[in-house]
Amino acid sequence: MLKIALPDGTQRTYSSPVSAYDVAAEIGPGLAQAALAAEVDGGQTDLHALLPPEGEVALKLLTKRDAAALEILRHSAAHVMAQAVMRLFPGVQLAFGPATETGFYYDFLLKCPLTEEDFPHIEAEMRAIVKENLAFERLEIPRPEALELCRELGQELKVEHLETGLDDQETLSFYRQGEFVDLCRGRHLPSTKHIGKGFKLLSVAGAYWKGDSSRQQLQRLYATVFFDKKELAAYLHQLEEARRRDHRVLGKKLNLFEIDDRVGAGLVLWKPRGAVIREELQNFIGQHLKRQGYSQVFTPHVGKLELYQTSGHFPYYQDSQFPPLVDRETLRKLADDGCSCSDLANRLTAGQIDGYLLKPMNCPHHIRIYASEKHSYRDLPIRLAEFGTVYRWEQSGELGGLTRVRGFTQDDAHLFVTEAQLPDEIAGCLELVKIVLGTLGMSDYRVRVGLRDPESDKYVGQPAQWDRAEAACRQAAAGLGVEYTAEPGEAAFYGPKIDFVVRDVIGRQWQLGTVQVDYQLPERFELEYTGADNKPHRPVMVHRAPFGSLERFVGVLIEHFAGAFPLWLAPEQVRLMTVSEKSADYARQVETQLRQAGLRLTADYRGQKLGAKIREAQLALVPYMLVVGEKDAQQGTVTIRDRLEGDLGPRTLAAAIDQLQAEIAAKTVRQTKQ
RNA sequence: GCUGCUGUAGCUCAGUGGUAGAGCGCGUCCUUGGUAAGGACGAGGUCAUGGGUUCAAAUCCCAUCAGCAGCUCCA
């Protein structure tokens, strides 16, 4: 006897074995047709799988309206895609083919490279398989037979996975549709016809077997599927929109920055318009730093190798640094002694040669500023801030636009504090990040508190200190009024940290602001302050950067605003334009006054029609246009056009300037709804 | 770093072995037009770089550099 509880509160009892489908069919033919899979006591099951014969279960039938069904659809589509590829390319080895947040992929090992030209053929074969309406059939197979089956099928990767990843499983599940059999946990749709027509292959890329870069590389086919063709179209449109907002595209179109081959990959040239945005952001944060009692410092872009040997960054992280600089004299002597390149590298690593490093971080410089004076506990906290440019040798494949570069400027600061001051100082840092994100209308972010992994012994510092610091981080994060997750094992080896992860328009997540507690560097550099007990004490350091790096932050900001910056950040705040050349003289007076008012503008005096000038300014995403014609010249007015609202009508120049300055001062974010 | 794709005018791109192209932008001239494209003429190219194949290479091959997608990485 089986009792089934349905989500609507009703109960059904069965004396003979039934599947979820049987239950659906009994409720009604419509539901039987719509049902795709089921949840039994919260766990997924195939629609036609038999339910337990005895007891009581909660059953929920999944239809295409359930998010869980979408995942099942995508995973099933992955099998169909794999089947199509196997039909078209004999000898394919299958790896993994899961559903993802936006679609699915399948990893293949095959001799010839797949290209986009193959997509239509694969898609056509997939359509054929859908039309064949093959049932997805679950097979439960004991381990020895499962291994035998995978060997027979020639699926060596599956054999390996059975022997390593799944070595504790006595029975393995396979799914079969038609001639295609795949080792798979499931679940799947009843049959291939339910996949429908809303699928599309998107891209092909390399991926390592089991995510290990030392293993063989597979070909990963990315695709997506929706229950509805319209949803697919909407998703493709969203991808299109994301491309339109791409900061690399907008950066070129709006003349914000350039990355030039002749200068070097990953090295950003900030053009005048991009520099305005950066400067405004720096000024903005600078005001808050003053308010919070920070001291501005400046330090050079290089430091002695020995400095980084003390900090531990060299040679440990040398693969992600630009190679050291060695002076001419030393190099010549080494060459005369017959020192080879590999000797040189070894001797640099061993610390036998003096050299300089392009600084990969700012902390050692700031530490030496702290250490240049003797400090009392009364001086603390000491907060040293700098827009510090650092250089890191990112792997060539990682570079991209402004978001991953080789030289970047952090809005960096280091706080030297007593342990008692730690909670307040962390809270102050978080407040700053929150102000920054709030001012820019970036609300889609999460806060991640990285704690130590209790199992690991890689961490430096006393456990009691860690407990206090972690408590301080949690407390500060909780005080933010934003949801946060505590993630054990995510701490740096030198201390816990708090990261702000912002989600951009394409759904990618970027780690921007960060606050990190550090016990390691004060130790390594033997930093001290004199306590009230007249004895030396070790300060704790806090590293923090609300933007992370200005490059990455501006990159994300460009996409966030789709290039249409709020007035206070807009490189060109106003486009002044004449109706005809007859009003040019008056317009020049207006231009002078606007400049004196501190507004950033360009003036368009060309003998073009007004419509053309407006169109250009609209496309250039200039927030306000000031139109001056003969009527304005007579009345001493300007006519304002808002990029979003259109023509706002005439007003006196003074009134127009007041309006713009008020909006700038308020840092108002105005955007059209997307 | 790895796999695949790509590199032609300032930008977006067409050109698949036989004379280097388009649109936009830019310049000059005409037009003096009140809220999203007025017209005419013109300038602009080591076809990423270096080799090779060929009577002949933007086009085919190899290498390098750079970009893109993804993987791996990010103190």
Side-chain angles (χ1 to χ4, degrees), chain A residues 140-371:
Chain A
E140 305 266 355
I141 301 180
R143 181 172 192 80
E145 284 87 338
L147 273 168
E148 192 53 36
L149 175 59
C150 288
R151 289 213 179 90
E152 262 173 43
L153 294 168
Q155 294 299 329
E156 297 302 326
L157 296 173
K158 297 283 182 184
V159 171
E160 187 200 319
H161 185 50
L162 277 175
E163 286 177 338
T164 55
L166 300 175
D167 52 350
D168 55 339
Q169 306 282 316
E170 283 312 310
T171 307
L172 287 308
S173 65
F174 287 75
Y175 276 79
R176 176 206 298 278
Q177 84 264 15
E179 81 283 4
F180 178 87
V181 182
D182 192 12
L183 172 66
C184 173
R185 194 186 313 135
R187 304 298 177 162
H188 284 285
L189 300 173
S191 71
T192 57
K193 82 167 179 204
H194 292 92
I195 287 167
K197 295 178 175 174
F199 60 83
K200 185 171 173 58
L201 269 57
L202 297 174
S203 61
V204 58
Y208 297 106
W209 169 235
K210 299 209 166 179
D212 183 343
S213 60
S214 67
R215 304 296 305 270
Q216 65 265 53
Q217 196 157 15
L218 310 168
Q219 298 191 59
R220 175 170 295 179
L221 263 184
Y222 278 93
T224 194
V225 62
F226 292 87
F227 281 114
D228 195 325
K229 265 186 135 171
K230 274 185 202 153
E231 286 175 87
L232 173 67
Y235 174 71
L236 295 176
H237 181 262
Q238 188 195 324
L239 287 184
E240 199 59 41
E241 168 68 14
R243 265 192 287 278
R244 192 182 68 77
R245 283 180 173 237
D246 189 317
H247 76 276
R248 295 164 297 192
V249 175
L250 287 170
K252 200 166 263 303
K253 193 177 132 201
L254 302 174
N255 290 316
L256 301 179
F257 66 92
E258 194 65 46
I259 296 172
D260 186 327
D261 272 16
R262 302 279 294 266
V263 175
L267 301 173
V268 177
L269 305 175
W270 291 80
K271 297 171 73 167
R273 284 173 176 253
V276 167
I277 297 167
R278 172 170 165 162
E279 197 179 18
E280 286 292 343
L281 289 172
Q282 289 188 190
N283 291 342
F284 165 53
I285 205 123
Q287 284 168 12
H288 286 285
L289 292 182
K290 276 182 202 146
R291 187 175 59 75
Q292 287 199 341
Y294 280 78
S295 308
Q296 172 73 54
V297 297
F298 296 101
T299 65
H301 289 211
V302 295
K304 279 170 80 172
L305 218 42
E306 189 238 324
L307 184 68
Y308 299 101
Q309 270 154 349
T310 303
S311 71
H313 293 108
F314 187 89
Y316 191 54
Y317 289 109
Q318 64 176 322
D319 286 349
S320 49
Q321 293 159 1
F322 279 73
L325 308 161
V326 179
D327 72 86
R328 268 190 214 88
E329 192 69 12
T330 307
L331 276 180
R332 192 158 52 222
K333 273 185 197 148
L334 289 165
D336 289 349
D337 295 350
C339 176
S340 72
C341 286
S342 59
D343 285 345
L344 177 62
N346 290 338
R347 291 168 71 172
L348 278 166
T349 302
Q352 293 164 353
I353 301 172
D354 287 338
Y356 290 85
L357 209 55
L358 276 171
K359 65 177 177 187
M361 81 294 304
N362 301 303
C363 0
H365 288 74
H366 292 181
I367 284 171
R368 293 309 299 160
I369 289 176
Y370 176 89

Side-chain angles (χ1 to χ4, degrees), chain A residues 332-519:
Chain A
R332 192 158 52 222
K333 273 185 197 148
L334 289 165
D336 289 349
D337 295 350
C339 176
S340 72
C341 286
S342 59
D343 285 345
L344 177 62
N346 290 338
R347 291 168 71 172
L348 278 166
T349 302
Q352 293 164 353
I353 301 172
D354 287 338
Y356 290 85
L357 209 55
L358 276 171
K359 65 177 177 187
M361 81 294 304
N362 301 303
C363 0
H365 288 74
H366 292 181
I367 284 171
R368 293 309 299 160
I369 289 176
Y370 176 89
S372 68
E373 300 169 42
K374 210 161 167 50
H375 295 285
S376 147
Y377 71 99
R378 295 173 189 278
D379 302 336
L380 268 47
I382 287 175
R383 310 180 186 90
L384 303 180
E386 175 178 20
F387 292 101
T389 305
V390 298
Y391 300 89
R392 298 183 187 177
W393 189 258
E394 301 289 354
Q395 296 185 64
S396 59
E398 304 312 328
L399 299 172
L402 292 179
T403 44
R404 200 76 185 268
V405 294
R406 285 188 173 150
F408 56 94
T409 302
Q410 298 174 308
D411 57 327
D412 209 358
H414 296 93
L415 287 70
F416 301 85
V417 308
T418 69
E419 270 211 60
Q421 292 166 336
L422 199 49
D424 282 353
E425 289 305 314
I426 294 172
C429 294
L430 294 188
E431 186 209 337
L432 195 57
V433 183
K434 197 178 165 186
I435 289 172
V436 165
L437 296 179
T439 303
L440 294 164
M442 302 176 94
S443 51
D444 194 1
Y445 64 87
R446 63 193 176 89
V447 176
R448 187 172 65 195
V449 181
L451 306 173
R452 71 192 191 279
D453 176 356
E455 303 296 304
S456 171
D457 57 358
K458 71 169 183 175
Y459 304 100
V460 301
Q462 307 299 318
Q465 284 182 322
W466 271 87
D467 289 341
R468 285 196 294 274
E470 290 187 350
C473 286
R474 281 170 179 276
Q475 189 192 326
L480 261 180
V482 177
E483 260 186 68
Y484 74 94
T485 55
E487 299 185 16
E490 286 299 305
F493 68 92
Y494 49 75
K497 62 176 182 175
I498 302 171
D499 292 325
F500 285 72
V501 181
V502 177
R503 187 184 277 266
D504 72 13
V505 280
I506 321 175
R508 291 178 303 190
Q509 302 195 36
W510 294 103
Q511 188 203 304
L512 296 174
T514 176
V515 178
Q516 307 187 354
V517 181
D518 185 354
Y519 294 104

